Amino acid sequence: MEVTMDPLFLAWSYFRRRKLQQCSDICTKILQENPYDQDPSLFISEAAWSLKTRALTEMVYIDEVEVDQEGIAEMMLDESSIAQVARPGTSLRLPGTSQGGGPTPAVRPMTQSGRPITGFVRPSTQSGRPGTMEQAIKTPRTASTARPVTSASGRFIRLGTASMLTNPDGPFINLSRLNLAKYSQKPNLSRTLFEYIFHHENDVKNALDLAAQATEHAQFKDWWWKVQLGKCYYRLGLYREAEKQFRSALNHQEVVDTYLYLAKVYQRLDQPITALNLFKQGLDHFPGEVTLLTGIARIHEEMNNISSATEYYKDVLKQDNTHVEAIACIGSNHFYTDQPEIALRFYRRLLQMGVYNCQLYSNLGLCCFYAQQYDMTLSSFERALVLVDNDEEQADVCLLYPNVSYNGIGDLTLAYQCFKLALAFNNDHAEAYNNLAVLELRKGRIEQSKAFLQTAASLAPHMYEPHFNLSILSEKIGDLQSSYTAAQKSEDAFPEHVDTQQLLKQLRQHFAVL
Amino acid sequence: MPEVKSIFREVLPKQGQLSMEDVPTMVLCKPKLLPLKSVTLEKLEKMQMEAQEAVKQQELAMKEQSQ
């Protein structure tokens, strides 16, 4: 005789083992058999309903602290800024205002927004702030999708609608027919329902309604609901309201998460100093808390203050020596300050910890090459090629080979082929265009080289190399006017570049003689 | 190995002008370490890929039905 397990218990067990699809299937079955509780003392179907909402939420759950995607509208039509030009060292939007002894762009490549590239990408580091509307529309592509027009049309909405499309019977809970007031009275159901609406359906307005009614029902004494209200306000772009809710939640209960959310609000309002102070307050209550320390390090890094960012990352590692972000950032910092062999140790540590992806192997290969451990270089690159996920990564890995072939053994043909390959994989790769142009010029094809340089310059106006090269090339063929304009652009991108300044001086002398 | 006395002697001019020309050369882009992805980002990308796939499949099925 077969003994069957109680379905609800089985579903709960599946949920704990994170077999969410099975859990949700069983709950669906229970709910189909008896949609409403017959016996009011047993809350079987209510429990099944709640468990199913939790399972569905867990499937698409992402850490709200990490999520930060700014749309074009929020970025360009900014209401919260007080002054047009912020004072140096007080804004995240003016990179380079506080040079904390970091390496120059001649050594360390820059991102679009003019910050040195970091060793770690998060959803919010990808974007950066473009200076002009044109740049905003044209350039930043985050995770192979274009930037959304507003954050309300971003990735979450697309994910939400997709999850509804794939469900043939329509959504599990029909939000428009839900009596939110009734649910807000039941604390045991309202929380799971809120998380379902917020994370799974991405319907922030309804989530806000529910949270507002629930917090009223709790007589404004429940910190959890206040934090949720703040999250909703943040998503809707009402930062000051979000700040109020988080502050009030902190009065009730000190929670690390609340500090992180509040700091996120301040970062969005472009008040990095306030955010830093807040993190320090948080550290008073939770000494050595890793997430708070990481937050401080990130802000320093975004303000271009690499040396103090590294200090804080080291503090993070003292608390948690398997923190991937801290290891990666310290490693890349060592690489760009001429210590590839130390960087290699950090990346090797990541490998030991079980990080296994294309980026790590390509970094290992690069560090090996510059630390003169040639035996490992090519095999690391090959591993990286095997682990590639998409075309952009493939292009990036292809670009690594020329470092060895061109800079190392002078094999121009291989370098040329690699650049061409990289361009075949990613048509917008400005670095590949620039390097290809240099090789073309060596072959004597001036027109070709010029065309590549112009392409590179238009694709990545933030890089100084294409502008500088174009300037040299134009000067050589006697086109002094375009040489001058290109040199000026190069100076904008990298003011301290000595060669550019010399070139500009020379050109000015020329013009003066004329 | 016996020491071979070289017949050439190095000459270091002590007088006269030394001229040097600094020609600007083209610069290549610097080697770039690829940033590692955070867990959240990886999950987001994975979810997006899956959602796109699912939508594609569904659209294909709808097309087949209508034919």
Side-chain angles (χ1 to χ4, degrees):
Chain A
M1 198 185 113
E2 200 181 334
V3 182
T4 50
M5 203 187 263
D6 175 50
L8 190 61
F9 184 78
L10 187 62
W12 176 240
S13 159
Y14 274 133
F15 180 77
R16 272 195 324 223
R17 287 179 281 155
R18 300 198 59 77
K19 294 179 177 173
L20 302 170
Q21 190 57 51
Q22 280 115 311
C23 169
S24 143
D25 289 345
I26 293 179
C27 291
T28 315
K29 229 171 162 186
I30 299 175
L31 287 173
Q32 267 169 1
E33 278 161 14
N34 42 335
Y36 299 103
D37 283 317
Q38 309 289 330
D39 182 358
S41 62
L42 286 172
F43 297 102
I44 301 279
S45 43
E46 217 167 71
W49 186 85
S50 180
L51 189 57
K52 188 175 172 184
T53 45
R54 277 185 73 188
L56 290 176
T57 311
E58 281 292 319
M59 277 183 209
V60 291
Y61 181 80
I62 19 179
D63 194 354
E64 184 64 16
V65 177
E66 293 281 310
V67 170
D68 199 6
Q69 197 174 29
E70 229 179 348
I72 293 179
E74 279 95 34
M75 215 159 28
M76 303 313 299
L77 312 169
D78 187 4
E79 291 170 345
S80 53
S81 67
I82 305 164
Q84 282 284 316
V85 181
R87 276 179 295 157
T90 60
S91 169
L92 294 169
R93 292 178 200 181
L94 286 174
T97 41
S98 56
Q99 280 285 347
T104 62
V107 184
R108 187 168 191 163
M110 286 284 174
T111 58
Q112 220 120 36
S113 51
R115 299 195 176 91
I117 60 163
T118 125
F120 199 72
V121 274
R122 289 167 285 124
S124 54
T125 44
Q126 292 181 313
S127 47
R129 274 173 187 277
T132 62
M133 193 73 179
E134 188 196 354
Q135 234 177 320
I137 296 170
K138 199 174 66 180
T139 34
R141 287 176 167 270
T142 54
S144 44
T145 40
R147 174 183 289 285
V149 176
T150 68
S151 58
S153 66
R155 180 142 56 180
F156 301 106
I157 301 303
R158 291 199 297 276
L159 283 175
T161 44
S163 65
M164 257 181 261
L165 247 184
T166 52
N167 199 347
D169 312 325
F172 164 52
I173 298 173
N174 195 339
L175 288 185
S176 51
R177 279 163 49 191
L178 212 60
N179 184 1
L180 289 179
K182 191 184 101 191
Y183 282 96
S184 63
Q185 314 288 322
K186 298 181 179 173
N188 49 349
L189 290 184
S190 53
R191 288 172 198 232
T192 52
L193 180 64
F194 173 84
E195 295 210 310
Y196 176 83
I197 300 174
F198 190 79
H199 290 287
H200 190 270
E201 300 286 318
N202 289 303
D203 188 342
V204 183
K205 278 179 216 122
N206 272 325
L208 181 65
D209 262 355
L210 178 64
Q213 289 176 23
T215 194
E216 214 180 300
H217 182 251
Q219 288 152 355
F220 306 99
K221 277 180 191 152
D222 193 336
W223 66 271
W224 194 85
W225 281 115
K226 289 189 177 174
V227 173
Q228 308 312 315
L229 267 177
K231 274 158 73 173
C232 291
Y233 282 131
Y234 181 84
R235 279 268 185 105
L236 291 172
L238 302 165
Y239 302 122
R240 288 296 175 191
E241 278 82 355
E243 182 197 353
K244 252 182 245 160
Q245 294 298 333
F246 289 136
R247 283 266 175 216
S248 147
L250 275 181
N251 286 339
H252 286 286
Q253 178 101 22
E254 301 273 347
V255 183
V256 180
D257 265 10
T258 318
Y259 279 110
L260 295 175
Y261 287 127
L262 193 53
K264 212 172 112 179
V265 172
Y266 286 128
Q267 271 164 279
R268 183 53 76 80
L269 289 173
D270 195 22
Q271 299 183 353
I273 308 290
T274 321
L276 280 179
N277 288 337
L278 183 78
F279 277 131
K280 280 176 190 152
Q281 266 177 39
L283 279 177
D284 289 340
H285 290 99
F286 304 97
E289 170 62 38
V290 173
T291 44
L292 295 174
L293 284 171
T294 320
I296 297 180
R298 283 175 185 171
I299 291 179
H300 279 302
E301 196 175 36
E302 282 191 42
M303 297 203 347
N304 222 344
N305 199 346
I306 302 288
S307 47
S308 41
T310 311
E311 283 306 308
Y312 278 102
Y313 277 128
K314 279 181 185 160
D315 280 349
V316 171
L317 282 188
K318 274 175 206 154
Q319 305 293 336
D320 173 9
N321 57 11
T322 57
H323 199 271
V324 177
E325 179 175 354
I327 298 179
C329 286
I330 297 176
S332 66
N333 194 34
H334 278 300
F335 181 82
Y336 288 119
T337 45
D338 259 349
Q339 296 168 314
E341 61 284 341
I342 299 178
L344 185 60
R345 293 174 70 114
F346 279 95
Y347 283 116
R348 216 169 54 193
R349 164 83 184 154
L350 283 179
L351 195 65
Q352 274 177 353
M353 279 163 42
V355 180
Y356 185 71
N357 55 24
C358 145
Q359 285 88 3
L360 180 63
Y361 273 107
S362 54
N363 292 351
L364 272 174
L366 216 52
C367 289
C368 282
F369 178 68
Y370 283 99
Q372 306 192 355
Q373 303 189 5
Y374 301 120
D375 48 343
M376 284 288 290
T377 309
L378 288 179
S379 52
S380 297
F381 286 167
E382 274 162 22
R383 278 284 175 90
L385 271 182
V386 172
L387 292 172
V388 156
D389 269 342
N390 53 35
D391 280 355
E392 271 100 45
E393 285 180 10
Q394 182 113 40
D396 281 333
V397 179
C398 282
L399 269 192
L400 297 174
Y401 278 95
N403 285 313
V404 181
S405 61
Y406 183 81
N407 299 346
I409 52 180
D411 185 349
L412 293 190
T413 327
L414 179 61
Y416 189 79
Q417 282 170 344
C418 288
F419 290 138
K420 283 267 180 189
L421 257 181
L423 284 180
F425 285 117
N426 181 2
N427 214 355
D428 301 332
H429 214 298
E431 286 144 24
Y433 276 117
N434 175 61
N435 294 358
L436 199 57
V438 177
L439 291 192
E440 288 287 5
L441 191 69
R442 281 185 81 142
K443 290 188 175 183
R445 297 186 209 148
I446 294 177
E447 281 307 309
Q448 186 75 284
S449 171
K450 199 173 164 187
F452 282 143
L453 284 177
Q454 277 163 347
T455 318
S458 67
L459 281 175
H462 62 282
M463 285 181 358
Y464 81 98
E465 289 98 342
H467 297 304
F468 177 66
N469 289 343
L470 193 60
S471 170
I472 291 179
L473 184 66
S474 310
E475 198 241 12
K476 267 187 191 154
I477 56 176
D479 186 355
L480 296 187
Q481 185 57 46
S482 27
S483 172
Y484 187 68
T485 42
Q488 273 181 326
K489 280 181 193 161
S490 164
E491 196 191 19
D492 286 343
F494 181 15
E496 298 93 31
H497 193 223
V498 180
D499 282 357
T500 306
Q501 276 161 3
Q502 271 179 358
L503 195 66
L504 271 174
K505 205 171 129 198
Q506 237 175 46
L507 285 168
R508 282 195 189 112
Q509 272 175 357
H510 266 301
F511 291 140
V513 170
L514 288 175
Chain B
M1 203 170 122
E3 204 159 291
V4 182
K5 205 170 186 190
S6 171
I7 43 171
F8 298 112
R9 276 191 306 123
E10 60 179 322
V11 181
L12 285 172
K14 297 271 165 59
Q15 293 170 348
Q17 282 186 332
L18 182 69
S19 73
M20 201 182 87
E21 197 182 9
D22 188 17
V23 187
T25 47
M26 306 271 267
V27 280
L28 288 167
C29 285
K30 303 301 164 291
K32 196 167 94 182
L33 287 181
L34 302 181
L36 301 175
K37 283 182 189 161
S38 72
V39 178
T40 316
L41 190 59
E42 266 179 11
K43 187 167 177 186
L44 266 177
E45 284 183 4
K46 202 177 126 223
M47 267 163 43
Q48 193 160 11
M49 285 257 290
E50 279 169 1
Q52 272 170 351
E53 276 300 304
V55 171
K56 247 185 230 165
Q57 296 271 332
Q58 212 157 32
E59 277 174 355
L60 269 181
M62 291 223 313
K63 245 183 212 169
E64 273 171 21
Q65 269 184 6
S66 64
Q67 273 174 4

